Amino acid sequence: MIGSLVRSRKNRRHLTSVAIYAVLTAGALFWLFPFVWMFLASIKPTEEIYTRFWPTRLTLEHYRLVLQGGVALQRPFLRAFFNTLFVASVQTAAIVFIGAITGYALGRLEFRARDALFNAILYQMIFPGILFLIPTFLLVLRLNLINTYAGMIVRFLTDATGVFLFTQFFKTIPQDLIDAARMDGAGEFTIIWRIMIPLSASVTAFVAIFNFMARWDEFLWNLIVVRDYDLMTLPVLLAVFTKGEYGDYPGAQMAAATILTLPILLLFMLFRRYFEEGIVTTGLKG
Amino acid sequence: MATSISAQERVSAGPAKRPRRIHWIAYLLVAPYVIYNLVFWVYPFVWGLIIAFQEWNIVSPRKEWVGLGNFQQVVTNSQFWNALWVTAKFWIVFLPAVTVASLLLALMLQRVSHFRGFYIAAYLASYTMAGVAYSVVFMLLLSGNGLINTWIWKLFHVRVPWFTDPRLAMISIAMVVVWKFVGYYGLIFLAGLNAIPRELYDAAAVDGANAWQRFLHITIPLLNPSFTVVFVFATILSYGIFTEPYLITGGGPLGSTQTFMLLIYQKTFENLEAGLGSAMAISMAALSFASTGVVRRLIEREVAL
């Protein structure tokens, strides 16, 4: 009797587990559906975008339109791709570099005003960005940086959350390593690059990936700062293009959206572990 | 010379403390951060406060002090209150939907041993998609004659006006944002679930508590930190919605998706009313702060694991 009870329990657990896999798989397909649809829409004939999921034939016409320009429409998408890459890379490099040296000073060195500075950075993390949008725009206007790369870049050169993460993580690295390096005559910069960063690979990777993603994705700021098509980043060009003369070219829109999505998706798949760890850490610190 | 300084320092600091000869370099290391944030954070912040008390159209050099005039305009501006209503609509749909969905996801993920990495990646991928990209995708996918409506028409002979009905448009946008954030919040819940000691469940099971009772009396209360984080994130996010309505609906139909961000963007950068825009931004930030404060107050509890 006990045997059959155990067996029925086991069966029920088995059934529950099958159900969970089924629900998770169905949900995952549902969640990935927009990606798949976007990609398929970018390689199928226009008339099938609204009516069919699977294309009857494949075409590269939308990519050709986006990358080479049509007869009447010439938009520099390839250039926009490199604009985005350039702006986001410079910003990410600055955020990681400044974040690491600031985090090192805050986490490992003693100086006056250290606690005050750390508290100020904690406050920065919870300040709504909207408070800075208009005055920073006016500042950039006054600096004559409207419609320039510098104008886009200068808005995001540090990240308070990144500094916080570096500070917290650098605190956990054994002092002996630092002392030994100093004994060998290493300067502070050598210690940061040769010891702190390599031993904090997961935090560094997270700060870099997360910020690169956010900068790649940046829309509002780049929208208000840049007017020339040649300077626009991908999100801005795609938005202007969708709301403007390419409104009737859904295939071209999906080709551009795919170009905008793929690099980050690739980055995400390569560094998924750091990404997930980072979300959990920031979530816990909240 | 360097050695003589360090020797001196060592004496004054005593043997227990570390050598304190390196203080000066800390200032050098924090200087880039501090200088940059003085120029591009503190200065704009103060300037933003000042502009809110002026009338200024950005292009002309003429600025006029108007005292609380801009804030008076904000309070009597029906578009501002409409934006608050739009935000409330978003919040009322988004917060429960995303909480239930991501909590369910976390509970299921906790129970699977195979393909866990794949599942997490599948649900988190939506978070990595650029706002402009998924907005255009959903705009086409859910348009009046889009694929989803083609399918719905075949099945039920109706078309759903996802983004064209004023009653439905903001709800549709909220569902799109749920799609984006389920994986992210799911991971936060999963971390919270993993932090709950297994023995608590075993002990409760021995005492005869069924699965539902264990969920209600152990999981829910001990997950409070995760709930707090997710609720606070979701509340802040509700005030910051911009890209989706900008692209999909342009704030319409009938202003039903005109969020705060969209309104401030239009007032400042299309109508060039910098003073009014700044006053709206400050008012919105105050409302956002107050809302997160209330949310925290209502749900945050001390949890001892």
Side-chain angles (χ1 to χ4, degrees), chain A residues 51-215:
Chain A
T51 50
R52 293 181 56 90
F53 180 67
W54 293 110
T56 53
R57 70 182 171 89
L58 303 182
T59 170
L60 286 176
E61 60 175 316
H62 306 309
Y63 286 93
R64 209 169 297 134
L65 182 70
V66 158
L67 295 175
Q68 296 176 354
V71 193
L73 308 154
Q74 198 94 42
R75 289 292 168 250
F77 260 92
L78 203 60
R79 202 189 151 102
F81 178 87
F82 287 107
N83 286 344
T84 322
L85 191 65
F86 174 65
V87 170
S89 302
V90 172
Q91 289 172 329
T92 307
I95 287 168
V96 171
F97 175 76
I98 298 176
I101 59 175
T102 313
Y104 176 72
L106 287 171
R108 301 309 302 229
L109 304 177
E110 277 181 41
F111 59 101
R112 263 169 47 179
R114 184 186 65 180
D115 294 343
L117 180 60
F118 189 66
N119 283 329
I121 288 170
L122 289 182
Y123 268 109
Q124 272 192 302
M125 288 167 62
I126 57 162
F127 257 73
I130 183 67
L131 288 173
F132 303 88
L133 182 72
I134 298 166
T136 314
F137 175 80
L138 297 173
L139 178 61
V140 165
L141 187 73
R142 187 176 276 184
L143 293 171
N144 261 327
L145 294 177
I146 293 298
N147 212 15
T148 64
Y149 286 113
M152 286 190 274
I153 291 169
V154 82
R155 171 85 175 84
F156 302 101
L157 288 178
T158 62
D159 170 40
T161 310
V163 174
F164 172 77
L165 291 175
F166 275 124
T167 306
Q168 296 303 92
F169 204 85
F170 286 169
K171 276 182 187 166
T172 65
I173 288 169
Q175 180 66 32
D176 298 350
L177 290 172
I178 299 172
D179 290 341
R182 281 217 186 99
M183 220 72 107
D184 293 341
E188 302 304 317
F189 278 98
T190 316
I191 292 171
I192 294 172
W193 301 126
R194 291 288 146 90
I195 299 174
M196 307 310 272
I197 297 267
L199 288 177
S200 323
S202 61
V203 170
T204 311
F206 175 68
V207 172
I209 296 166
F210 212 76
N211 278 293
F212 184 79
M213 213 181 88
R215 296 305 112 231

Side-chain angles (χ1 to χ4, degrees), chain A residues 243-254:
Chain A
K243 286 177 84 92
E245 72 263 61
Y246 276 25
D248 294 331
Y249 292 81
Q253 291 170 12
M254 290 302 96

Side-chain angles (χ1 to χ4, degrees), chain B residues 199-211:
Chain B
E199 303 86 69
L200 285 176
Y201 290 102
D202 297 339
V206 168
D207 289 345
N210 62 32

Side-chain angles (χ1 to χ4, degrees), chain A residues 21 24-25 27-28 31 37 50 109-112 124 132 134-135 138 154-155 157-158 175 210 217 243 276 283, chain B residues 18 22-23 26-27 33 36-37 40-41 44 51 113-114 119-120 123 127 130-131 141 150 179 229 246 268:
Chain A
Y21 278 105
L24 273 177
T25 308
W31 248 255
W37 182 79
Y50 289 118
L109 304 177
E110 277 181 41
F111 59 101
R112 263 169 47 179
Q124 272 192 302
F132 303 88
I134 298 166
L138 297 173
V154 82
R155 171 85 175 84
L157 288 178
T158 62
Q175 180 66 32
F210 212 76
D217 196 356
K243 286 177 84 92
E276 288 163 15
Chain B
R18 311 222 162 265
I22 46 168
H23 288 190
Y27 295 106
Y33 188 91
Y36 172 79
N37 281 281
F40 282 93
W41 204 83
I51 296 166
S113 38
H114 305 287
Y119 287 128
I120 293 179
Y123 289 94
Y127 180 72
L141 203 52
T150 305
W179 168 81
V229 169
Y246 177 86
T268 312

